[in-house]
Amino acid sequence: MAGEITQEAIALALGGAGIGAGGAIIAQIIGGILTAKREKRKAASDRELWEFEAEAKRRDRSIDEKIEVFAAILSVSESLITVIHLEPIFGEQPLSTLRTKLSELQSHVQKLSILVPELFEHADGVFQRCNVMVMITSRSHFLSDRENLHTEINPAHHEADESIKIARAAFQAYVSHKPIPPATNN
């Protein structure tokens, strides 16, 4: 019988459909497993990337803070030296202003000692030289012979300038990840 569907043909069709459907289901399962593994690797990779970027941002914030503190040290010390050098006899600049600037400088040096202990010696050298200049200037304020001030303040000014140059070089080396030169002026 040419047009009849036999049970055998139906069984073959159902068997083929079952095998095809089973194959599709198995393919879906295998595809799901492979996709899950790929997504797990991608999630781990994304997490590593996020942690790396977070650490880089933290380091950037940290270096920005260090640069800010060191710039404040240089700014305050250079302005202090300039004021003392330009007005050694203390016409307009009260001693309290110099002492306030010196306290500000000391505060920045202490903060830097916490942030970058390896640069403390350099920053402290700058503070010590500025302190000497303030002491010389303060002493001259109470002496009647102010002519000796120039002979004392000029070498102190030179030492302070040298200390600032060495400290600046040390910080630039620190930021550039190069060896830090010794603080030879202490």
Side-chain angles (χ1 to χ4, degrees):
M1 308 193 216
E4 282 183 40
I5 300 178
T6 62
Q7 283 186 340
E8 191 176 290
I10 293 175
L12 278 174
L14 289 176
I19 290 174
I25 291 171
I26 290 172
Q28 288 286 344
I29 291 172
I30 292 172
I33 291 171
L34 294 176
T35 300
K37 285 184 179 181
R38 185 180 71 235
E39 290 299 319
K40 185 177 178 181
R41 279 193 304 259
K42 185 177 184 293
S45 173
D46 289 347
R47 185 173 61 268
E48 286 177 14
L49 180 63
W50 181 84
E51 288 172 356
F52 177 77
E53 288 174 350
E55 177 65 20
K57 286 178 184 176
R58 187 194 61 75
R59 279 193 313 263
D60 285 348
R61 281 192 304 271
S62 175
I63 197 71
D64 288 346
E65 183 179 13
K66 292 171 186 176
I67 289 170
E68 189 175 299
V69 170
F70 200 78
I73 289 171
L74 293 177
S75 174
V76 171
S77 62
E78 288 173 345
S79 72
L80 188 62
I81 290 169
T82 301
V83 165
I84 290 173
H85 190 67
L86 293 178
E87 298 186 36
I89 304 194
F90 255 73
E92 300 172 16
Q93 203 65 21
L95 288 174
S96 62
T97 302
L98 292 180
R99 289 190 182 121
T100 301
K101 282 187 177 281
L102 194 61
S103 292
E104 182 183 351
L105 178 60
Q106 185 177 28
S107 170
H108 292 308
V109 168
Q110 288 172 346
K111 188 172 183 179
L112 187 72
S113 74
I114 294 168
L115 294 172
V116 192
E118 55 266 40
L119 291 177
F120 171 71
E121 195 174 334
H122 294 83
D124 190 55
V126 171
F127 170 75
Q128 295 301 328
R129 297 309 181 275
C130 289
N131 190 28
V132 166
M133 290 184 73
V134 169
M135 287 178 10
I136 291 169
T137 307
S138 298
R139 190 182 71 229
S140 73
H141 184 66
F142 298 106
L143 297 176
S144 59
D145 180 20
R146 295 186 181 191
E147 291 301 316
N148 289 333
L149 176 62
H150 291 290
T151 59
E152 289 184 53
I153 205 74
N154 286 338
H157 181 255
H158 176 70
E159 287 179 14
D161 280 342
E162 286 300 312
S163 182
I164 288 172
K165 285 178 189 173
I166 291 169
R168 182 178 282 125
F171 194 72
Q172 287 171 343
Y174 174 81
V175 171
S176 303
H177 303 289
K178 294 179 182 173
I180 297 172
T184 56
N185 61 354
N186 288 333

